Amino acid sequence: MKKHVIGLMLLFVIFSMTFADDLAKNDYLTISPSIGYYYAVTPEYLFLISTEENYCEECPREYFRLDNDGWFYFSDEYDNVLMIEGYPDAQFYITDSNTWKTGEYEKNRGIYYKEWYGTVYSATSELKEKTKEGTVIYKADNMKKFAYAPGDHHSDFSWNFEGKPWAEGVKGYGIGEKIRISTKEPFHILEILNGYVCPQHTDLYKKNSRVKTFTVKDLDNNLEYVFNLEDAVEFQFFKLRKVTKNVELTIKDVYKGDIWDDTFITTILPDAYSSDWEDKSVPFVQTYTYKCDKKEILDRIEAAKKACEAND
């Protein structure tokens, strides 16, 4: 009996250590759970603030955490959700198995996003894996399959269960492997969801390798860039100098997987704020991630507090 108790205590400690990881001391975030509201997150505080800054509520800090698999969690008395930060703002994915959307709509209809760009994907290699269900091909075309269902079908809480990411299919980490993206409509932004992102199996992100650095060629304008990606489950946005219809991305460096060397990319989407966008004052590459300036976050919290006090 004593051995059983000690064993249970060890399991509890291991479990606590696994899910007790949190923000670094200098990480300050803004997370948007819905239109009109966002969370201001610091290592000590969590505030729900309206965009009009006339509403502010302090929430227990333990509601929010970053786990060892690189995923953000928000858990209160009502919800237990995973968060993929960055597009648009942030989206929540319900982790309660009873609320996952697994209907025919999501399986057969809701897997493509921004299809009006007419994007064509190709790669120099693709991973083929034998499973109990048969051979799975992590093909380049998978990168246009996105988490959201199209239209107004509660897309914030939808996930494409049939979707798979792309993975290089050569020996090693895929250094030098290329991805080619061509579109019908011009774009100047690439939105990248790095690694193997799956809310049903969050451990696959760290177990497999992720891209650390891409070199990128704009084939239409003869321009070259370097994209350095954060190692986080988030959308990362990269601006190009000019609009284009053809780019080639080459893997130059990776974050090595804890178990496997296969390098994955879940999604790469082209986008454009306007078809004639060009701004030489903007840096060649600009990354948008979840991290925010410390002073900006603290100023937002103070402004929201004052607005709340003025309304009382």
Side-chain angles (χ1 to χ4, degrees):
M1 181 66 179
K2 188 175 180 180
K3 290 182 179 180
H4 288 172
V5 171
I6 293 173
L8 287 173
M9 289 177 66
L10 286 173
L11 284 174
F12 176 77
V13 170
I14 293 170
F15 182 86
S16 300
M17 291 174 61
T18 302
F19 293 98
D21 201 12
D22 211 328
L23 301 179
K25 290 183 179 179
N26 295 319
D27 282 352
Y28 288 76
L29 323 178
T30 53
I31 303 292
S32 300
S34 61
I35 296 174
Y37 293 89
Y38 67 90
Y39 284 106
V41 187
T42 80
E44 295 85 19
Y45 301 106
L46 179 66
F47 282 90
L48 178 63
I49 302 172
S50 74
T51 52
E52 295 81 15
E53 294 189 337
N54 57 4
Y55 176 80
C56 177
E57 177 186 357
E58 184 173 358
C59 306
R61 181 58 184 78
E62 59 268 22
Y63 284 178
F64 185 93
R65 75 173 190 270
L66 171 64
D67 83 347
N68 289 334
D69 288 329
W71 288 75
F72 291 113
Y73 281 77
F74 181 86
S75 302
D76 60 16
E77 61 267 35
Y78 304 108
D79 297 307
N80 180 35
V81 299
L82 290 167
M83 304 184 332
I84 298 179
E85 164 62 9
Y87 190 90
D89 295 326
Q91 296 295 334
F92 291 163
Y93 296 96
I94 302 297
T95 57
D96 181 350
S97 60
N98 295 322
T99 58
W100 282 114
K101 292 182 179 296
T102 57
E104 291 303 310
Y105 183 93
E106 284 76 12
K107 288 185 177 180
N108 299 326
R109 170 96 170 90
I111 59 175
Y112 295 104
Y113 182 72
K114 294 183 178 176
E115 55 192 7
W116 56 85
Y117 279 99
T119 311
V120 176
Y121 297 78
S122 61
T124 49
S125 68
E126 298 171 339
L127 178 65
K128 296 181 180 179
E129 183 180 51
K130 292 184 178 180
T131 68
K132 294 179 180 179
E133 291 74 28
T135 300
V136 175
I137 303 176
Y138 297 94
K139 55 187 179 179
D141 198 52
N142 290 350
M143 286 183 285
K144 72 180 178 183
K145 294 183 177 181
F146 192 29
Y148 308 104
D152 297 322
H153 193 69
H154 305 292
S155 58
D156 286 1
F157 298 96
S158 297
W159 183 265
N160 169 31
F161 288 93
E162 304 301 315
K164 299 291 182 185
W166 168 78
E168 47 75 28
V170 298
K171 187 176 181 179
Y173 293 97
I175 304 299
E177 292 304 286
K178 301 179 187 296
I179 299 168
R180 176 77 175 267
I181 298 175
S182 300
T183 63
K184 293 180 180 178
E185 300 295 327
F187 65 91
H188 69 277
I189 295 171
L190 287 175
E191 306 168 2
I192 301 177
L193 183 58
N194 198 14
Y196 196 139
V197 177
C198 177
Q200 289 173 301
H201 304 285
T202 58
D203 58 319
L204 292 179
Y205 181 81
K206 283 291 183 73
K207 285 181 177 178
N208 291 285
S209 302
R210 294 81 63 195
V211 174
K212 185 175 185 179
T213 304
F214 271 132
T215 57
V216 181
K217 289 184 179 180
D218 174 353
L219 302 175
D220 293 347
N221 298 302
N222 195 29
L223 296 172
E224 294 190 6
Y225 308 88
V226 176
F227 290 178
N228 294 309
L229 281 73
E230 298 274 355
D231 189 16
V233 181
E234 62 178 15
F235 268 91
Q236 300 178 57
F237 291 49
F238 297 89
K239 285 185 179 180
L240 306 181
R241 168 74 69 178
K242 295 184 177 182
V243 294
T244 185
K245 293 183 180 179
N246 296 279
V247 295
E248 184 179 77
L249 299 87
T250 304
I251 299 174
K252 286 298 181 183
D253 198 4
V254 302
Y255 297 103
K256 294 181 179 180
D258 293 342
I259 297 180
W260 299 296
D261 56 9
D262 304 313
T263 300
F264 284 82
I265 287 282
T266 294
T267 299
I268 303 180
L269 299 174
D271 200 359
Y273 293 143
S274 65
S275 59
D276 59 351
W277 183 91
E278 182 174 346
D279 186 354
K280 290 183 172 60
S281 67
V282 174
F284 274 51
V285 179
Q286 188 170 351
T287 308
Y288 296 87
T289 70
Y290 62 88
K291 295 179 182 177
C292 301
D293 178 72
K294 176 180 178 179
K295 184 177 184 303
E296 175 190 348
I297 295 295
L298 296 179
D299 287 348
R300 287 189 186 189
I301 292 174
E302 287 305 311
K305 283 181 178 179
K306 290 178 180 179
C308 292
E309 292 172 359
N311 289 331
D312 289 341

